[in-house]
Amino acid sequence: MEEEFPIWYLGKLAFNLSNVLMITITCIIVLFIAIFCTRKLQMRPTGKQNFIEWVMDFVKGIINSNMDWKTGGRFHVLGITLIFFIFVANMLGLPMQIAVGGEVWWRSPTADPIVTLTLAVLIIGLTHYYGIKLRGTKHYVVGTYFSPMKFLFPLKLVEEFANTLTLGLRLYGNIFAGEVLLSIIALQLAHINPVVGVFAIIPAIVWQGFSVFIGAIQAYLFTVLTMVYMSHKVSDEH
C-alpha cells in the first residue's frame, strides 16, 4: 500500500514529520503515565500505584532471569521505559490513521522501519557502552569477540549485525502488518456494498483485539531481548 508522509528537508537531511509527531506524543503519554501513577504514593498501594509497581516487578523479573540484580539493577529504569514506550507506540495507530492532504500524519511510529532500526541501533550501542564501562575495554573486546577461539571473530561481527537487524525488523514487521490489515478491513467497511461492510465489522473487532495482544507481546520481546543482549555484554559468564 502506497502511503505519502510529510517530509521536511534540512539541507540533505530529510525528516518524516509524522514520525517526529508520533514519537513526541508517545513520550508525552509515557511521561504522563509515570507522573500519574507515582503521585501520592502510599505504604498500602491501590489502583494506579499497584499497576506501576506490578510493571516494575515484571521488568525486574525479566532482568533477574538474565543476570544478577547487582549488575542488572542499573538497567531497571531502562527496561521500564522501553516496555512503556514501545507498547504505547504500538497502540497509537490501532484505533485510527489520519491523513491530511493525502499525507499520513497519525499512525504507530513503530510501523516505520527507520524508527525501529534506530531504536535497535541505540540499544545495541548501549550494550557495548556498558560492556566496556563495567568490564574494561581490553577484557570486553577479548571476551566478547575472541572467546572462546580467535577465528570466531568474523562470526561475532555477523552476529552483532544480525542482532541489530532482527531486533528492529521484528518489531516493525509485526506492527506494520497489523496496521495494513486493519486498513484493508476499514476499506471493506467503507465499501459501497453494504453486505461486505457489515461482514467486515466482525474481523475488524477481532483483529483490533489481536493487535493489542501483538503490540503488548512485541513490547515484552523487545525488552527481554534488550536484557539478553545486555547480559551477554556485561556478564563474564556469557
Side-chain angles (χ1 to χ4, degrees):
M1 296 178 65
E2 283 292 328
E3 294 180 324
E4 296 292 332
F5 299 96
I7 305 297
W8 178 67
Y9 291 93
L10 180 62
K12 293 185 178 181
L13 293 177
F15 294 87
N16 187 325
L17 297 184
S18 173
N19 287 342
V20 174
L21 173 66
M22 299 313 297
I23 290 172
T24 302
I25 291 173
T26 302
C27 292
I28 291 173
I29 293 174
V30 172
L31 180 62
F32 171 79
I33 292 173
I35 294 174
F36 177 75
C37 292
T38 55
R39 291 181 62 213
K40 299 179 181 179
L41 297 178
Q42 302 174 355
M43 292 297 294
R44 186 174 296 176
T46 58
K48 60 184 181 180
Q49 187 177 337
N50 269 333
F51 168 72
I52 196 68
E53 289 188 5
W54 174 80
V55 174
M56 293 175 68
D57 289 339
F58 183 73
V59 174
K60 184 177 181 179
I62 294 174
I63 295 172
N64 282 333
S65 65
N66 290 285
M67 63 190 109
D68 64 276
W69 184 248
K70 183 179 179 181
T71 301
R74 71 190 72 225
F75 309 120
H76 195 202
V77 174
L78 171 64
I80 295 170
T81 304
L82 275 177
I83 204 166
F84 269 128
F85 177 86
I86 295 174
F87 177 75
V88 172
N90 292 348
M91 295 299 107
L92 288 181
L94 285 184
M96 59 184 173
Q97 185 179 92
I98 299 177
V100 178
E103 296 178 333
V104 177
W105 281 86
W106 184 286
R107 68 164 186 172
S108 297
T110 44
D112 189 324
I114 294 176
V115 174
T116 58
L117 286 172
T118 300
L119 189 57
V121 169
L122 290 173
I123 291 301
I124 297 299
L126 201 59
T127 65
H128 291 303
Y129 168 77
Y130 276 105
I132 294 172
K133 180 179 180 180
L134 297 180
R135 299 171 64 188
T137 304
K138 182 178 179 180
H139 188 192
Y140 169 74
V141 172
V142 173
T144 302
Y145 296 103
F146 298 96
S147 177
M149 290 168 283
K150 293 182 180 180
F151 71 83
L152 292 176
F153 174 68
L155 294 179
K156 297 282 188 176
L157 293 180
V158 172
E159 181 184 18
E160 291 296 329
F161 175 77
N163 286 343
T164 307
L165 199 62
T166 55
L167 186 64
L169 292 183
R170 180 188 294 107
L171 176 60
Y172 156 71
N174 280 276
I175 304 307
F176 177 74
E179 291 198 357
V180 168
L181 188 52
L182 283 173
S183 298
I184 293 173
I185 295 173
L187 288 174
Q188 292 300 321
L189 288 172
H191 200 275
I192 57 173
N193 187 335
V195 176
V196 176
V198 169
F199 280 106
I201 293 176
I202 298 175
I205 295 173
V206 172
W207 190 254
Q208 281 278 4
F210 184 67
S211 295
V212 172
F213 173 73
I214 292 297
I217 289 296
Q218 289 305 312
Y220 167 73
L221 286 176
F222 197 99
T223 306
V224 168
L225 290 173
T226 296
M227 296 309 162
V228 169
Y229 297 153
M230 190 69 77
S231 68
H232 289 173
K233 298 297 189 297
V234 303
S235 303
D236 288 329
E237 58 267 24
H238 291 96

